[in-house]
Amino acid sequence: MRLQYASTVRIIEMPCTGTIDHRVLLKTFEDGADGVFVAGCMEGDCHFLKGNIRAKKRVNMVKNILEEIGFGGDRLDFFNLSAAQGQRFAEIVTEMTDRIRELGPTPLNQKEGDTA
Amino acid sequence: MIIAQQKSIQDIASMIEDCNKVLLVGCAGCVTVCLAGGEKETEVLAASLRIKRRLENKPLETVTFVATRQCDPEYIETLESYVKDVDAVISLACGVGVQYVAERFSDKWVVPALNTNFIGGSLNHGEWEERCGLCGDCVLHRTGGICPIIRCSKSILNGPCGGSQYGKCEISKDMDCAWQLIYDRMKALGKLDKLMEYQPPKDWSKSRDGGPRRAVREDVMID
């Protein structure tokens, strides 16, 4: 398909979004990720029936935590798309990259003396 | 089991704002089952507090440990090596666990991460309901296995009251009238006559009376 998308994205493959734990998401931010998005299958298409629906709930829970602690929940999001939607994947990467660029680098990577 | 829910991260963070290193202790008992203070919740809280403090430029070091039970002194002992060099201990146990940790490590600042709510059971995954009032004098054999002490909003022993309509309690259309449930169950069991039996006043001295209650089994005590 030769689709273009931002080279700043690192893909971490999981067997199913349903295996994603709150701790994994929080760790990505602690390790310095500027933003994270979880790409799950289309609703109703989960091989394990509800993995993507459960993952979405967990992502929303972590968004709430990030909001509560002042980090901001916008740096994390969940998208539904199928393995055949390469075009949509590239769009989401662009959308998330634009959003994160607007938010700026993660505040957790700032060194002493940095402003904003 | 004991049902508890986590306090807000803001509240917990304010309890340890002057600390640089804290130990978060989960409990593998009731609060693990009600998803409030098990291994996962302990690590999620630790990560949340670390991120919050990094944002405030006051990094926090965390150590996590999950005790088999925090309501047993023998399991509290296992914390000793972790407690030594921390400024505070955050307990993710029920109120009992927090007190046991605070009592054992009396020189440490011990704070609760949970609000202990009630004794209950699961309705669905992620939903719990209060089912026991801890009155100390169980009457379930007379009420078809439905507790009027905790499931009746007034805890009355001779219901239903005038607030019962169409099987629901007057306090909420979503709340069943416990005495309607009791009546229906006893009727189905063919034991309505049991409800007509004379009962002396309930002995409330076995409930919250005379300070903390104590239970003793001398035959299992170790000399």
Side-chain angles (χ1 to χ4, degrees):
Chain A
M1 292 173 91
R2 297 178 188 279
L3 297 168
Q4 293 287 317
Y5 66 85
S7 58
T8 48
V9 173
R10 177 181 294 182
I11 296 174
I12 300 170
E13 293 175 9
M14 305 290 276
C16 168
T17 51
T19 64
I20 296 175
D21 191 278
H22 306 72
R23 289 169 287 190
V24 175
L25 296 169
L26 289 168
K27 183 166 168 35
T28 57
F29 290 112
E30 278 199 282
D31 287 350
D34 296 317
V36 174
F37 78 86
V38 178
C41 298
M42 300 297 282
E43 288 193 11
D45 277 356
C46 178
H47 180 72
F48 305 104
L49 306 180
K50 292 180 179 172
N52 50 357
I53 293 167
R54 289 176 179 156
K56 192 180 235 175
K57 286 183 186 169
R58 284 182 210 142
V59 166
N60 285 335
M61 168 77 179
V62 175
K63 276 169 80 81
N64 290 340
I65 290 175
L66 293 173
E67 205 60 59
E68 187 183 350
I69 60 181
F71 184 84
D74 288 344
R75 292 181 184 274
L76 173 65
D77 223 330
F78 185 96
F79 294 94
N80 293 101
L81 74 165
S82 82
Q85 288 179 295
Q87 185 81 40
R88 177 70 186 130
F89 178 77
E91 278 171 25
I92 293 169
V93 170
T94 308
E95 187 186 324
M96 269 308 274
T97 308
D98 289 347
R99 190 198 296 180
I100 301 303
R101 283 231 165 85
E102 205 164 294
L103 290 168
T106 170
L108 295 183
N109 271 350
Q110 284 179 15
K111 294 185 180 68
E112 219 169 301
D114 283 1
T115 50
Chain B
M1 74 186 124
I2 289 174
I3 310 295
Q5 285 177 307
Q6 196 182 298
K7 289 175 179 285
S8 73
I9 296 169
Q10 187 65 50
D11 284 351
I12 299 166
S14 67
M15 296 176 201
I16 52 147
E17 58 190 356
D18 53 350
C19 303
N20 297 317
K21 184 174 181 180
V22 295
L23 168 67
L24 292 99
V25 190
C27 178
C30 312
V31 292
T32 289
V33 185
C34 72
L35 309 175
E39 183 181 349
K40 184 173 173 178
E41 293 77 26
T42 304
E43 288 173 4
V44 168
L45 177 61
S48 306
L49 290 171
R50 285 196 304 268
I51 295 175
K52 182 171 169 37
R53 290 286 291 265
R54 271 173 73 183
L55 289 170
E56 294 164 358
N57 280 326
K58 291 186 293 179
L60 177 72
E61 196 179 337
T62 62
V63 182
T64 59
F65 181 77
V66 180
T68 304
R69 282 195 297 277
Q70 287 191 38
C71 53
D72 253 331
E74 64 183 285
Y75 297 115
I76 300 295
E77 285 304 320
T78 59
L79 298 177
E80 192 166 15
S81 60
Y82 299 94
V83 169
K84 275 179 190 157
D85 61 341
V86 298
D87 303 320
V89 180
I90 300 175
S91 168
L92 286 91
C94 66
V96 181
V98 180
Q99 291 183 64
Y100 269 60
V101 175
E103 202 171 299
R104 171 63 183 79
F105 304 105
S106 52
D107 59 334
K108 288 290 171 191
W109 178 236
V110 180
V111 299
L114 308 183
N115 290 320
T116 309
N117 297 336
F118 53 82
I119 298 278
S122 309
L123 293 180
N124 298 299
H125 197 73
E127 189 178 9
W128 300 270
E129 188 176 78
E130 190 167 21
R131 285 292 168 97
C132 177
L134 301 170
C135 70
D137 184 24
C138 193
V139 296
L140 288 169
H141 58 294
R142 293 204 300 264
T143 57
I146 295 159
C147 176
I149 308 297
I150 209 65
R151 294 178 71 180
C152 167
S153 306
K154 292 175 174 171
S155 297
I156 55 176
L157 289 159
N158 55 348
C161 71
S164 174
Q165 275 200 331
Y166 309 111
K168 298 291 178 190
C169 175
E170 66 184 336
I171 70 159
S172 163
K173 61 178 169 46
D174 299 321
M175 187 166 294
D176 290 326
C177 166
W179 274 100
Q180 182 72 52
L181 295 176
I182 292 168
Y183 180 84
D184 291 345
R185 177 82 56 85
M186 294 299 262
K187 191 175 179 185
L189 291 170
K191 292 185 185 296
L192 275 180
D193 55 312
K194 287 262 181 204
L195 290 178
M196 300 304 288
E197 285 176 10
Y198 164 77
Q199 300 298 337
K202 185 172 164 60
D203 182 4
W204 285 104
S205 71
K206 293 174 181 170
S207 185
R208 277 291 294 139
D209 175 78
R213 291 171 278 180
R214 188 172 286 197
V216 178
R217 275 268 314 260
E218 284 183 2
D219 59 318
V220 295
M221 285 180 154
I222 299 168
D223 298 325

